[in-house]
């Protein structure tokens, strides 16, 4: 795909580039070091089969050893829950294990199961459609989780979601918390939510809005190639879609939005948020599809019983001392 190491890529993107290029030996020490700090190699849960098998073989040959952190947290519990079906050869459960592994030993077990069940894992991952979804998650709330759940409903059983936390933002000057904190909170909430099949959502440590994301669609293309998806599947909220469409209609400079919509590989999954009129959204979809030939799927948002969720609304509620309402919007199903 023509992306060279060091061409404005972040360290996380360079890791994916190396895996795409079969440079597994250069990734092994990074993965092992991160695991010893309790950081899971979540990218292995979405890697296309050849990259996954190549890394698994290199890992088992290297036989990494060392002191493991193996923290006892929600990932440990989820790993233990998925281990029995994985041992029975369930490819969905096997695919979950790398993103839940928090030690060298657990990853070694997960990758041995990958190699022992190559055929089933390859069949489960081949042809899978990956919806790319990014958010500031400042904080992460029920609207984010329902966006992913609704997108997967619309895309069908052969789809999964690849989630990223924003490392930079084209509008916001700063976030209230650093990337690592927002990433960890978001990851836990996605994986703990009963709204989403955990086998079909993976948050990867590739910050959105920075690195290759500053150069057209290069980050989206990199991740799609890594997952083995031949389309760029973008899960986007109706608020963002309507704003981009309005700017293009008015002739305002919208180089990034226009480049996305004009790419023949793009498939936009537009989530209809409660606060946006459906007729205006349908009109915008018709306009973009007509102007650029963009494939667009209208995603119906699953209903929920609070005001339209947003990070701004949560912060405002907390500033007003309305903690119960803010908790409901932020935690929702996680607090039940």
């Amino acid at each position: 795909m023509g992306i060279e190491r060091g061409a404005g890529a972040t360290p996380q993107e360079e890791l994916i580039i190396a895996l795409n290029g079969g440079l597994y030996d250069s990734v092994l020490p990074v993965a092992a070091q991160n695991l010893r700090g309790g950081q899971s190699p979540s990218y292995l849960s979405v890697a296309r089969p050849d990259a996954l098998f190549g890394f698994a073989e290199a890992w088992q040959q290297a036989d990494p050893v060392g002191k493991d952190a193996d923290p006892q947290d929600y990932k440990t519990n989820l790993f233990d829950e998925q281990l029995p079906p994985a041992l029975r050869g369930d490819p969905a459960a096997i695919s979950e294990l790398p993103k839940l592994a928090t030690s060298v030993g657990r990853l070694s077990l997960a990758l041995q199961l990958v190699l022992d069940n190559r055929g089933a894992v390859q069949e489960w991952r081949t042809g899978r459609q990956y919806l790319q979804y990014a958010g500031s998650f400042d904080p992460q709330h029920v609207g984010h989780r329902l966006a992913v759940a609704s997108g997967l409903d619309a895309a069908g059983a052969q789809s999964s979601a690849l989630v990223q936390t924003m490392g930079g933002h084209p509008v916001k000057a700063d976030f209230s918390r650093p990337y690592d904190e927002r990433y960890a909170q978001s990851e836990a909430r996605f994986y703990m939510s009963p709204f989403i099949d955990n086998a079909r959502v993976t948050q990867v440590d590739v910050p959105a809005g920075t690195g290759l994301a500053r150069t057209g669609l290069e980050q989206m293309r990199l991740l799609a190639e890594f997952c083995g998806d031949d389309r760029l599947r973008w899960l986007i909220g109706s608020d963002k879609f309507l704003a981009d469409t309005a700017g293009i209609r008015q002739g305002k400079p919208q180089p990034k939005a226009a480049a996305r919509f004009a790419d023949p590989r793009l498939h936009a999954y537009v989530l209809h948020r409660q606060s946006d009129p459906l007729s205006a959204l349908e009109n915008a979809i018709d306009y973009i599809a007509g102007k650029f030939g963009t494939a667009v799927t209208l995603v119906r948002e699953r209903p929920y019983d609070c005001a339209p969720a947003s990070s701004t609304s949560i912060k405002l509620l907390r500033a007003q001392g309305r903690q119960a309402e803010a908790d409901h919007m932020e935690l929702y199903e996680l607090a039940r």
Side-chain angles (χ1 to χ4, degrees), residues 161-176:
L162 185 156
V163 179
Q164 297 171 265
T165 300
M166 298 294 293
H169 198 283
V171 177
K172 295 180 181 178
D174 203 356
F175 302 105
S176 65

Side-chain angles (χ1 to χ4, degrees), residues 10 12 24 30 49 53 104 121 174 176 205 252 263 273 281 294 303 333 336:
T10 63
Q12 296 95 328
Y24 309 122
V30 178
F53 299 151
V104 169
V121 171
D174 203 356
S176 65
D205 182 16
K252 295 180 179 178
D263 192 299
R273 298 193 184 281
L281 180 58
T294 310
E333 82 284 9
R336 296 179 180 178

